């Protein structure tokens, strides 16, 4: 099963593709879609959307997992990032992919085992899970890979629960 993890943003969209092979998660490709700061917002959204479509077409994921947005201060940033998330979800749904969403706390719980873990702990565990030489940069990329791993764990658990419930 190939999973695309996404850390949504307007300036930087982190992405990470992993293959779930049994109990292992194997990195396939990761990076980010970036937009220029002083570009009109509609052009930035188009760039994010087109980047997502290209990634889906090239790496052919079976599912897409997003980090749920959380904002406590800047409403302007929240609106832009929400719009970017919308075009990212639209791209996935247009390609017929199932979409899942996880809160930062759920991702931390899945990766570190503690929902209030520090960002650095999550990044280091992500690096170790995927046997990477270094923590991917920028942080959005490491976050996207963590979301993909979270989905891999959640998908396995939910599949087993559904099997039990059906029998």
């Amino acid at each position: 099963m190939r999973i695309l993890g996404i850390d949504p943003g307007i300036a930087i969209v982190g992405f990470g593709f992993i293959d779930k092979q049994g109990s292992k998660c194997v990195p396939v490709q990761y990076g980010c879609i970036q937009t220029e700061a002083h570009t009109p917002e509609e052009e930035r959204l188009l760039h994010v959307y087109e980047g997502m479509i290209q990634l889906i077409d090239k790496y052919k994921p079976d599912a897409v997992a997003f980090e749920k947005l959380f904002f406590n201060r800047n409403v302007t940033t929240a609106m832009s990032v929400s719009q970017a998330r919308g075009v990212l979800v639209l791209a996935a749904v247009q390609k017929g992919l199932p979409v899942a969403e996880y809160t930062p706390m759920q991702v931390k719980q899945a990766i570190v085992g503690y929902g209030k873990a520090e960002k650095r702990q999550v990044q280091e565990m992500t690096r170790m899970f995927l046997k990477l030489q270094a923590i991917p940069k920028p942080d959005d990329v490491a976050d996207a890979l963590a979301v993909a791993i979270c989905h891999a764990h959640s998908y396995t658990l939910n599949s087993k629960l559904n099997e039990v419930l059906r029998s």
Side-chain angles (χ1 to χ4, degrees):
M1 172 181 200
R2 179 159 292 171
I3 301 165
L4 168 56
I6 296 286
D7 181 21
I10 188 70
I12 300 173
V13 175
F15 70 84
F17 289 88
I18 64 167
D19 282 347
K20 178 155 177 42
Q21 299 173 347
S23 62
K24 292 181 182 177
C25 292
V26 179
V28 174
Q29 183 61 275
Y30 50 90
C32 59
I33 302 167
Q34 293 183 294
T35 65
E36 294 295 323
H38 300 292
T39 305
E41 191 166 59
E42 59 274 12
E43 288 179 31
R44 295 175 91 179
L45 292 170
L46 179 61
H47 182 74
V48 165
Y49 173 81
E50 289 175 341
M52 180 72 157
I53 292 291
Q54 289 172 0
L55 288 169
I56 290 169
D57 286 346
K58 184 171 183 177
Y59 295 103
K60 305 194 181 330
D62 299 303
V64 182
F66 289 88
E67 184 169 61
K68 193 174 253 186
L69 300 178
F70 172 77
F71 294 97
N72 58 358
R73 288 201 187 104
N74 192 333
V75 175
T76 305
T77 301
M79 294 299 289
S80 294
V81 174
S82 295
Q83 289 178 325
R85 182 192 175 281
V87 300
L88 291 161
V89 170
L90 174 63
V93 171
Q94 281 183 327
K95 292 293 185 175
L97 297 170
V99 172
E101 188 175 52
Y102 300 95
T103 65
M105 187 176 278
Q106 287 173 306
V107 174
K108 291 174 181 181
Q109 181 72 39
I111 303 298
V112 179
Y114 176 60
K116 294 185 180 181
E118 296 293 323
K119 188 173 194 75
R120 178 77 182 158
Q121 290 174 292
V122 176
Q123 292 173 341
E124 182 59 26
M125 288 301 294
T126 298
R127 184 194 69 74
M128 291 170 60
F129 268 125
L130 299 176
K131 296 178 174 55
L132 301 173
Q133 294 292 321
I135 294 170
K137 296 288 179 199
D139 290 350
D140 312 77
V141 178
D143 293 348
L145 286 166
V147 171
I149 295 167
C150 175
H151 185 69
H153 293 322
S154 297
Y155 179 82
T156 300
L157 178 61
N158 288 335
S159 297
K160 289 180 181 179
L161 285 172
N162 287 335
E163 276 179 35
V164 169
L165 294 173
R166 276 187 242 129
S167 52

